[in-house]
Amino acid sequence: MKAFRNLIIYTLLLASTSIDGHAQSLTPGKDLHFTAGINTDLKPDNLKNKYILLDFWATWCAPCLEGMPHINSLQKKFSQVKDLYFLSITDEHVGKAKQIVERFSFETHAVSDSTGNLHKIFDIKTLPTAILLDRKGTVKWKGNPKDITSEMLEALINNQDITVESTKIQSINSEPPAIASVRNTNLGGQVEKAKEMAAEFMAIYNNPSIIEYLFLERSTSNNFSKSFSYKHQDSRFTYKLAVPFRVFAAELMGISTSSIELSDSLENLKVDYCYKGGNRYLDSAWRVDALLNKLNIQMDSNLHTVEVFELGIFDNNLIQTSLNKNKNGFSRTSSSDGHQIIAVDNVPLRELADVLQDNFGNYFRWKGILNDSKYDLVLKASDLMELKKSLGIYGISLDSKLEKVNKFRFSEGRNKL
């Protein structure tokens, strides 16, 4: 199996709320200090005594990017209000963010705060998050930018109370939470049990005395799905709750989901999984043994003809090496309203094939020899046609052909090795 991708996926349904009980004041122009403009020459001093909409976003966040047309429309509608400023804030490198700002047509003042101070000041836990500030720098509302209406902005600039009906929104956690174990709380229900297990697994992650740990069982939490993976040097930690067996088996064995057939009894099977440890995870025989014996599953294989997708470089001038060379590499997949964004940061291109295979379920591989350089890419990937177009922006081609590969069939009953 190729090197495991560093994948962090947190997709949650959160309630949009106002800033009640959380109010704070600051001095725009002083406290709203950012390090660089991305598409603007705006300076922090320009923000003194102004009404401000702050939109916190990231290049890898699908809800952030999919919500930009709404923010752009508001900015256009209020363009004649000279004392109202729209700021889109990321803590990422200017060079990387600029590519995305241009591709997704940001009409706002896009700025970078590489210090991350603004995220701390406003306690940004999820992305996207928007903040409305009055002239005095008082936070009047905090929530999802999709919830902002013209009426809310009218109320802001007229110094009136801002009211908004709370709606459920989709957000992406900006970092994995540090959750203490709550295994003994005896909560009822599938969702509660899944949250309880997630907390226990994160406690294992945070416990340096636990060197290696394996948990694998059939899931009872079919209505709640959550996952977290982290790899650093020779150590890795992964937990996944209520993952479809087809997806789990493909990832664990390093194969495409299109290479897996399931018996009727396994079609709806989901699993809970947690692993903490070192290189033993890379041992294919160990992985398969854990998969089959712990779940009492039978596996057989035979050759089938399938579609294989090949990646290639057609223009080296279009793809740029990573701007974050001192950081650990990772990939994120983010979805919103049927749209998907795949972002890889500081990873070798060979790992991109693995990330795409995980997301699309097809075989992906590179043709030609790749160097060991690391790259940043942000791809629109709602379907294969969109992916191909998005890859082309970076000088990467995507072609397909039919080949014979092993196909694996899983059924109930312990496999006899």
Side-chain angles (χ1 to χ4, degrees):
M1 181 179 177
K2 297 180 180 179
F4 191 87
R5 283 67 60 200
N6 301 315
L7 179 63
I8 301 177
I9 308 175
Y10 276 99
T11 305
L12 305 172
L13 288 179
L14 302 174
S16 175
T17 61
S18 71
I19 202 69
D20 292 342
H22 194 80
Q24 62 186 105
S25 296
L26 63 161
T27 304
K30 177 182 179 182
D31 298 320
L32 282 184
H33 180 76
F34 47 86
T35 52
I38 299 172
N39 65 351
T40 179
D41 294 327
L42 186 72
K43 304 298 180 185
D45 282 346
N46 300 139
L47 301 175
K48 291 180 179 179
N49 301 315
K50 300 295 190 292
Y51 300 103
I52 304 170
L53 184 157
L54 304 177
D55 177 26
F56 289 85
W57 69 286
T59 59
W60 50 265
C61 171
C64 301
L65 301 178
E66 295 302 328
M68 277 313 301
H70 174 62
I71 297 298
N72 286 340
S73 66
L74 290 173
Q75 194 279 335
K76 183 177 181 180
K77 183 172 183 179
F78 286 84
S79 61
Q80 301 304 312
V81 181
K82 295 183 179 180
D83 284 346
L84 175 61
Y85 280 74
F86 289 71
L87 266 70
S88 295
I89 301 170
T90 180
D91 59 1
E92 297 172 279
H93 192 284
V94 172
K96 177 184 175 183
K98 186 174 182 179
Q99 299 173 5
I100 305 306
V101 167
E102 292 173 348
R103 283 178 56 193
F104 287 83
S105 302
F106 281 53
E107 299 295 334
T108 59
H109 293 283
V111 300
S112 173
D113 175 33
S114 59
T115 67
N117 286 335
L118 290 179
H119 286 67
K120 295 177 183 178
I121 289 173
F122 292 103
D123 192 30
I124 303 302
K125 299 296 186 183
T126 62
L127 297 176
T129 292
I131 306 284
L132 297 181
L133 298 174
D134 65 12
R135 285 185 184 275
K136 297 179 181 179
T138 302
V139 176
K140 306 299 290 185
W141 181 87
K142 180 179 181 181
N144 191 285
K146 282 188 177 181
D147 286 343
I148 298 177
T149 64
S150 298
E151 290 75 16
M152 292 169 64
L153 294 179
E154 291 283 0
L156 177 68
I157 60 180
N158 287 311
N159 299 312
Q160 299 172 347
D161 290 336
I162 297 175
T163 58
V164 59
E165 181 179 354
S166 180
T167 58
K168 284 193 174 182
I169 60 172
Q170 187 179 47
S171 301
I172 306 299
N173 272 54
S174 57
E175 58 185 55
I179 310 175
S181 175
V182 291
R183 188 66 169 176
N184 298 320
T185 54
N186 195 28
L187 297 173
Q190 293 183 353
V191 173
E192 288 78 7
K193 180 182 178 181
K195 290 181 179 179
E196 190 177 333
M197 291 180 64
E200 180 179 358
F201 293 159
M202 288 305 297
I204 292 169
Y205 166 70
N206 290 315
N207 188 342
S209 67
I210 300 177
I211 305 302
E212 186 168 70
Y213 177 86
L214 172 64
F215 174 90
L216 174 60
E217 71 177 14
R218 296 169 186 249
S219 179
T220 59
S221 307
N222 292 322
N223 296 324
F224 182 93
S225 180
K226 193 172 184 180
S227 64
F228 170 61
S229 294
Y230 175 75
K231 179 178 182 294
H232 179 64
Q233 296 178 348
D234 293 331
S235 178
R236 63 168 297 106
F237 176 85
T238 299
Y239 84 74
K240 298 178 183 293
L241 301 178
V243 178
F245 176 78
R246 183 188 302 275
V247 174
F248 170 74
E251 180 178 307
L252 201 64
M253 298 176 67
I255 61 178
S256 164
T257 54
S258 64
S259 298
I260 292 179
E261 290 184 344
L262 302 179
S263 63
D264 291 343
S265 61
L266 297 181
E267 279 292 347
N268 297 317
L269 173 63
K270 294 186 179 181
V271 299
D272 297 329
Y273 172 67
C274 180
Y275 175 78
K276 180 180 182 180
N279 287 329
R280 189 168 72 150
Y281 184 89
L282 302 178
D283 185 326
S284 177
W286 178 83
R287 294 197 315 271
V288 174
D289 181 68
L291 174 69
L292 302 180
N293 293 323
K294 275 187 167 287
L295 296 178
N296 193 26
I297 300 291
Q298 169 79 28
M299 181 184 74
D300 302 289
S301 66
N302 49 62
L303 287 175
H304 280 252
T305 300
V306 299
E307 189 174 23
V308 176
F309 290 89
E310 285 194 329
L311 301 161
I313 304 292
F314 68 82
D315 191 339
N316 285 301
N317 295 319
L318 294 178
I319 185 167
Q320 298 180 352
T321 56
S322 177
L323 299 170
N324 298 314
K325 292 180 171 45
N326 295 324
K327 294 185 178 181
N328 292 324
F330 62 85
S331 68
R332 290 183 174 105
T333 301
S334 171
S335 300
S336 174
D337 297 331
H339 299 279
Q340 179 167 271
I341 298 290
I342 297 175
V344 295
D345 290 272
N346 199 32
V347 300
L349 284 179
R350 66 178 68 88
E351 292 193 18
L352 177 61
D354 298 330
V355 174
L356 296 178
Q357 181 167 293
D358 286 349
N359 283 274
F360 283 93
N362 302 90
Y363 278 103
F364 283 83
R365 70 184 182 201
W366 285 94
K367 51 186 176 183
I369 300 175
L370 298 175
N371 59 40
D372 292 326
S373 298
K374 297 182 178 182
Y375 299 86
D376 301 329
L377 295 89
V378 178
L379 307 170
K380 290 184 177 182
S382 301
D383 53 47
L384 287 168
M385 289 298 295
E386 186 178 62
L387 173 66
K388 183 173 183 177
K389 182 178 179 181
S390 195
L391 287 167
I393 295 173
Y394 294 97
I396 300 175
S397 61
L398 179 64
D399 302 298
S400 65
K401 61 181 180 180
L402 297 178
E403 284 188 10
K404 284 190 174 182
V405 300
N406 269 322
K407 202 153 193 175
F408 299 86
R409 176 173 175 78
F410 295 90
S411 57
E412 295 281 5
R414 189 178 302 279
N415 189 51
K416 297 179 181 179
L417 297 177

